[in-house]
Amino acid sequence: MSLTLPLARAQAKKDKLFGKAVTFTTSLEYRIGLVGFGVCYLIAQFIQSSPRLELLAIPVLVVALIFLILAFYPMSMAKRFGDITLSGEEIRINPSLKASGIEKQHIPVAGVKELSLYTAYKFRWFSSLFVIQAEGVTEDESSFTFAIVINSRKQEQEYLEILDNWYRQSMQLREYDQTGQRIFKLNHGFNYEDIQGIKEEYGINW
């Protein structure tokens, strides 16, 4: 099977708070949101000290909530710059004309030496939204990077099937969550026995 997903622009840099992790905290929205929330907090403190301004408290709280939501929804990281097709045989990157700096690539899965997948953003409730950045090396030591957006439960399930295929091909594949912790098929919380079972079933190193 193959899966075509929106291609995003890889952030390329690691978050300083979490070391090797690539997280949504590198996004512009996160920085603007936190600054805006901080400003609203300072204004609220000033309002508390001045009874004549109490009527402004509710509007300030509403604006603070908007900034907080903005901080945790990295729209810029999910912006579409083309498409990427994933399958058990290949990774095909097809950037749009406006995607300057992103090269069109065709990478055979059999030629991938190692691949790291960083979950930069994750939202899973009534639907799914993931922003995942990939950094890999081919057998000829060429490096490549890309980012994908998963925006439905159906796409998430199909993506997991692709990952399962890659793992069973003994690809040197490693997944990380937003804090840099190892995960497996987008999930964590595995105990020692779970990890040993995964290693035995897929023939991989943890």
Side-chain angles (χ1 to χ4, degrees):
M1 67 168 292
S2 64
L3 172 63
T4 299
L5 296 170
L7 175 68
R9 187 180 295 280
Q11 297 297 307
K13 55 189 177 183
K14 307 296 189 298
D15 178 72
K16 294 180 180 179
L17 292 175
F18 299 110
K20 61 183 178 181
V22 176
T23 81
F24 68 93
T25 58
T26 62
S27 69
L28 179 63
E29 290 85 1
Y30 182 79
R31 296 169 184 174
I32 293 175
L34 282 193
V35 171
F37 182 80
V39 170
C40 288
Y41 175 79
L42 293 176
I43 293 175
Q45 293 299 309
F46 175 74
I47 289 174
Q48 282 186 343
S49 63
S50 180
R52 292 178 299 176
L53 300 176
E54 286 182 353
L55 291 177
L56 294 176
I58 294 178
V60 169
L61 288 175
V62 171
V63 174
L65 181 60
I66 292 173
F67 274 117
L68 194 60
I69 293 173
L70 176 67
F72 288 88
Y73 187 73
M75 294 174 288
S76 62
M77 294 184 76
K79 186 177 181 181
R80 190 170 193 152
F81 285 93
D83 297 301
I84 181 166
T85 300
L86 310 175
S87 72
E89 294 76 38
E90 63 181 2
I91 300 170
R92 190 177 293 272
I93 302 172
N94 299 302
S96 60
L97 295 177
K98 64 179 180 180
S100 59
I102 302 179
E103 298 181 0
K104 185 173 184 178
Q105 290 180 280
H106 170 217
I107 306 166
V109 168
V112 176
K113 182 178 180 181
E114 58 184 53
L115 181 63
S116 297
L117 299 172
Y118 300 91
T119 302
Y121 182 78
K122 172 183 176 181
F123 176 85
R124 185 192 279 153
W125 190 24
F126 54 86
S127 185
S128 295
L129 176 60
F130 292 84
V131 179
I132 298 172
Q133 178 168 321
E135 297 178 358
V137 178
T138 61
E139 292 291 351
D140 61 2
E141 300 301 328
S142 298
S143 60
F144 63 90
T145 183
F146 60 83
I148 59 175
V149 180
I150 297 172
N151 49 34
S152 72
R153 287 294 181 107
K154 182 175 182 294
Q155 287 183 348
E156 180 187 352
Q157 185 57 45
E158 292 175 346
Y159 174 74
L160 293 178
E161 292 177 14
I162 296 292
L163 285 185
D164 187 85
N165 183 291
W166 288 353
Y167 276 118
R168 294 186 185 281
Q169 292 187 56
S170 299
M171 178 189 287
Q172 294 300 310
L173 179 61
R174 288 179 171 82
E175 300 174 70
Y176 301 92
D177 67 8
Q178 296 98 318
T179 64
Q181 299 299 309
R182 284 291 303 276
I183 57 176
F184 182 75
K185 295 192 197 176
L186 297 178
N187 291 306
H188 45 62
F190 299 102
N191 58 34
Y192 177 80
E193 292 182 356
D194 293 332
I195 293 174
Q196 297 309 307
I198 290 170
K199 291 167 64 175
E200 182 177 350
E201 179 178 356
Y202 291 91
I204 60 174
N205 295 320
W206 190 261

